[in-house]
Amino acid sequence: MKLRAEKISKTFYREGNRQKFFNAIEETTITLSEGSVTVIKGRSGSGKSTLLNIMGGLLQPDAGQVFLDDNSLYSLTDREMSRLRNRYIGIIPQGHTALRSLTVLENVMLPVHLYTPEQDVYDRAMQLLQRTGMETLADASPAELSGGELRRMAIARSLLQNPPILLADEPTGDLDDENTELVLQLIRQTADEGTAVLLVTHEAAAEAYADAVYTMQAGKLEVSSRL
């Protein structure tokens, strides 16, 4: 499965600013192919997360289109988009997203239970918690977790349904060196199993796990290297 953005762009309006409009994304075309890790690096505010959100069906572009194979994401209804994203696109958000009333394990299983509550994904969820070093915290509350632990929980949740597309926004931002390596290795393994991965990061070590590296600056995407 491929995810491709064709000639997308995004402009924001800032109230009270002398330069009221700014181009968060200049016209950009990029394709994520199965079995590959694409890294986008750049400073904060360069447009990396905006691009990721557009490609994940979370933020509509002002121009251009995003296709999952032959499906044009922004021609879908909200309901259709939600179902497609739930099944085919795993997203690791930059912030901490967890339902505090659920345990860590229940949070990880949530994507499946939103639509198919009868499906048993306990074994898969526990396997992912083990792979992210979180298995001993399965019954803990999110309120008991550190920022890095919440991030690893989100990573496990994003992989629950073996999504063909994985979009990761600074997935190692709260992690120490040991867990950063653990997560980058897991992302590489996920790609090697067939997933198309987009990794937005400041982490220099991520480039060693990439098939293609891009740099984003002031909304402009440029190829840094292809391996």
Side-chain angles (χ1 to χ4, degrees), residues 1-72:
M1 212 168 224
K2 288 185 178 181
L3 183 67
R4 69 186 190 278
E6 293 188 359
K7 297 182 178 180
I8 60 169
S9 61
K10 186 68 179 178
T11 299
F12 288 110
Y13 176 80
R14 286 194 278 209
E15 189 71 44
N17 193 290
R18 291 181 62 186
Q19 185 178 343
K20 291 185 180 294
F21 293 93
F22 75 101
N23 295 325
I25 302 292
E26 301 281 358
E27 185 177 291
T28 295
T29 295
I30 184 173
T31 298
L32 307 182
S33 299
E34 61 184 39
S36 66
V37 176
T38 300
V39 166
I40 298 180
K41 59 182 184 176
R43 295 179 178 178
S44 296
S46 62
K48 305 185 305 298
S49 294
T50 299
L51 176 59
L52 182 146
N53 287 332
I54 290 173
M55 296 191 73
L58 299 170
L59 179 66
Q60 185 162 352
D62 295 326
Q65 298 187 67
V66 179
F67 295 93
L68 180 61
D69 282 348
D70 295 325
N71 293 302
S72 175

Side-chain angles (χ1 to χ4, degrees), residues 147-217:
E149 289 165 343
L150 285 167
R151 185 61 55 87
R152 284 184 283 151
M153 182 190 75
I155 293 167
R157 182 178 59 211
S158 73
L159 295 172
L160 182 68
Q161 300 193 82
N162 293 302
I165 308 294
L166 177 65
L167 307 179
D169 195 352
E170 299 287 359
T172 61
D174 298 318
L175 305 182
D176 58 23
D177 290 346
E178 180 180 355
N179 283 309
T180 291
E181 185 175 356
L182 182 151
V183 167
L184 291 175
Q185 288 176 351
L186 177 58
I187 286 173
R188 180 67 255 178
Q189 291 165 7
T190 300
D192 291 342
E193 292 164 4
T195 298
V197 179
L198 176 61
L199 174 56
V200 167
T201 184
H202 288 94
E203 187 66 52
E207 295 185 39
Y209 297 85
D211 298 290
V213 179
Y214 292 79
T215 298
M216 196 152 212
Q217 185 173 358

Side-chain angles (χ1 to χ4, degrees), residues 127-151:
Q127 178 192 52
L128 286 167
L129 286 175
Q130 183 177 23
R131 292 177 73 181
T132 53
M134 292 284 291
E135 69 274 20
T136 61
L137 295 170
D139 295 325
S141 162
E144 302 174 66
L145 303 186
S146 67
E149 289 165 343
L150 285 167
R151 185 61 55 87

